[in-house]
């Protein structure tokens, strides 16, 4: 499962932060996840709950913000959000696109005690 390894990595990174900053408890983790990553937020939350047990992250709330897939048409410079993964420019119909967002998997901020 894709989400399981992502969450394992995420917890590793967060625990490192907890150690470095001598945080007592992490209350909330705000994550930004691009829709292009095909991560399912509910299974991400589930994996986090299971894997964080017994760690300094236990009980932390995982806030998942989904980032839309945005592209720029290199022909006419139009910027648009890609719906249902049809990669054509809505303005000129071109398919020379540069992807601007949608592949993120970032920890945006942490709320700690
Ligand atoms: Zn265009």
């Amino acid at each position: 499962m894709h989400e399981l390894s992502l969450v394992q990595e995420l917890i590793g990174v967060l625990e490192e932060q907890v150690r470095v900053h001598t945080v007592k408890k992490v209350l909330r983790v705000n994550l930004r996840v691009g829709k292009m990553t095909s991560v399912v937020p509910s299974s991400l939350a589930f994996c986090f709950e299971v894997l964080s047990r017994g760690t300094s992250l236990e009980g932390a709330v995982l806030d998942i913000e989904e980032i839309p897939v945005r592209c720029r048409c290199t022909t006419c410079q139009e910027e648009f959000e890609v719906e249902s993964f049809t990669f054509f420019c809505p303005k000129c119909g071109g398919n020379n696109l540069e992807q601007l967002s949608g592949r993120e998997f970032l920890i945006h901020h942490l709320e700690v005690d």
Side-chain angles (χ1 to χ4, degrees), residues 51-87:
L51 293 176
S52 66
R53 276 178 205 155
T55 74
S56 49
L57 299 158
E58 185 168 352
V61 176
L62 196 60
D63 251 346
I64 301 160
E65 194 182 328
E66 283 189 281
I67 306 297
V69 181
R70 288 190 64 82
C71 284
R72 179 192 291 129
C73 173
T74 55
T75 307
C76 73
Q77 305 306 314
E78 176 81 348
E79 283 186 21
F80 57 95
E81 191 177 326
V82 177
E83 307 274 3
S84 65
F85 301 105
T86 46
F87 291 91

Side-chain angles (χ1 to χ4, degrees), residues 90-101:
K91 198 172 169 191
C92 73
N95 63 354
N96 293 315
L97 308 178
E98 175 192 341
Q99 197 181 334
L100 303 174
S101 68

Side-chain angles (χ1 to χ4, degrees), residues 3 33 38-48 62 64-66:
E3 284 80 3
V33 179
S38 58
V39 164
V40 180
S42 59
S43 55
L44 203 63
F46 175 76
C47 290
F48 183 80
L62 196 60
I64 301 160
E65 194 182 328
E66 283 189 281

Side-chain angles (χ1 to χ4, degrees), residues 10-25:
L10 173 70
I11 288 180
V13 170
L14 290 171
E15 286 208 289
E16 179 65 30
Q17 290 301 307
V18 166
R19 260 194 305 277
V20 170
H21 299 285
T22 56
V23 164
K24 255 189 295 172
K25 190 160 175 51

